[in-house]
Amino acid sequence: MSRLNDSELPFSLLQFYATAPYACSYLPNEKARSQVATPTHLISTEVYGELVRSGFRRSGVFTYRPLCDTCHACVPVRVAVGRFQPDRSQRRCLKKYAGMLAREVPLAYDAAHFALYQRYQSVRHPGGGMDHDSREQYTHFLLQSRVDTRLVEFSENGVLRMVSIIDVLSDGLSSVYTFYDPDVPGANFGVYNVLWQLDQCATHALPHLYLGYWIHGSRKMAYKSRFQPLQGLIDGEWQSLPQTSNPDANDAPLSRHT
């Protein structure tokens, strides 16, 4: 349930405003709007955790949730970690990448990370608007944070394969963004990364992994429904969602607003 009026937290000092309509990243010919929480300097890790539980996400220091005029397709989702059991293909994925090394590094610009990000966008999401990001755009999107954020790099036999940005909340991890080597045939790095985050939640007794937004029927978001039990925030309540078909299990979110 939302606690946006909890007197123990500075929500009374936050202001919320609606953006102008913009082109939806997921549904063709649709217009989207967002509700934005400000001022950013009041959104600490504790406050941000409450916002996430109320359906908000962040892109850099921009904290938002969908506020579309006629469409309510975007559903905030999270995995109930304690009840998650990997399916057969996920177990194969875990075995496949058992030797991959994960290492937390400072949340700072790294030329190798940026080169991988550019390659990932140009191959996986050409024409998506992020395939020509400058260093400044990349920095604003992924490296600016006012909350407890971790940057983890994954390497295989000494070769950088994947980078993941994760926020640490009191009740779980919030997956911000992941990009990976797009040129490895048959790779499913994105699936492995979610499995790795679920394992981190379990290791640290965190009950939830927040995966951003999900839209029924969206190929870009279909991979999320493979991680069960998946819960969605509907009418202010976290409810179980059914598993659906998964045409693009290895894909990752296209938009900055995920």
Side-chain angles (χ1 to χ4, degrees):
M1 293 291 290
S2 171
R3 289 173 53 196
L4 294 184
N5 295 317
D6 193 323
S7 61
E8 296 180 359
L9 296 173
F11 285 117
S12 61
L13 301 179
L14 293 181
Q15 297 182 355
F16 300 87
Y17 70 89
T19 68
Y22 55 87
C24 179
S25 301
Y26 299 105
L27 300 177
N29 305 317
E30 291 287 344
K31 290 292 185 180
R33 288 204 305 162
S34 295
Q35 183 183 45
V36 181
T38 61
T40 59
H41 71 272
L42 292 182
I43 303 177
S44 63
T45 297
E46 184 181 11
V47 172
Y48 182 64
E50 292 292 341
L51 290 169
V52 169
R53 288 184 282 278
S54 298
F56 282 80
R57 297 284 290 167
R58 73 172 186 87
S59 176
V61 297
F62 175 80
T63 302
Y64 68 95
R65 66 181 172 186
L67 189 69
C68 302
D69 294 323
T70 59
C71 178
H72 304 285
C74 287
V75 178
V77 291
R78 68 187 187 187
V79 183
V81 175
R83 294 188 287 133
F84 172 75
Q85 294 291 333
D87 62 23
R88 183 178 300 177
S89 66
Q90 290 165 346
R91 291 194 297 270
R92 288 198 299 265
C93 183
L94 286 168
K95 183 177 180 180
K96 181 178 181 179
Y97 297 113
M100 184 170 283
L101 176 66
R103 184 170 72 101
E104 184 180 332
V105 297
L107 187 69
Y109 177 80
D110 183 292
H113 295 173
F114 182 50
L116 181 64
Y117 174 84
Q118 289 181 308
R119 198 151 51 89
Y120 169 81
Q121 295 295 347
S122 64
V123 174
R124 297 292 297 184
H125 304 304
M130 297 166 67
D131 48 337
H132 296 293
D133 274 4
S134 65
R135 171 176 171 173
E136 181 179 20
Q137 289 171 308
Y138 166 81
T139 299
H140 286 173
F141 172 34
L142 294 178
L143 304 181
Q144 288 191 345
S145 172
R146 294 183 179 273
V147 300
D148 185 0
T149 301
R150 313 294 170 88
L151 192 158
V152 182
E153 61 177 26
F154 296 79
S155 59
E156 191 175 38
N157 299 320
V159 178
L160 178 66
R161 294 299 192 195
M162 181 165 56
V163 174
S164 188
I165 293 87
I166 307 160
D167 290 335
V168 182
L169 310 176
S170 62
D171 72 327
L173 299 179
S174 178
S175 186
V176 178
Y177 202 79
T178 297
F179 55 93
Y180 47 80
D181 189 336
D183 299 319
V184 180
N188 45 4
F189 295 127
V191 173
Y192 175 73
N193 183 261
V194 177
L195 294 169
W196 182 87
Q197 291 183 38
L198 284 164
D199 181 70
Q200 290 296 299
C201 286
T203 298
H204 297 283
L206 298 171
H208 303 117
L209 175 61
Y210 293 88
L211 292 177
Y213 300 116
W214 174 80
I215 297 175
H216 178 72
S218 170
R219 293 177 64 87
K220 297 173 186 176
M221 298 183 180
Y223 73 97
K224 299 180 184 183
S225 67
R226 285 290 302 277
F227 299 93
Q228 293 288 330
L230 190 70
Q231 300 173 339
L233 184 63
I234 301 173
D235 296 329
E237 298 283 351
W238 288 97
Q239 305 176 27
S240 296
L241 297 177
Q243 183 169 343
T244 61
S245 59
N246 184 32
D248 287 323
N250 193 35
D251 208 359
L254 169 64
S255 172
R256 288 183 175 84
H257 295 188
T258 59

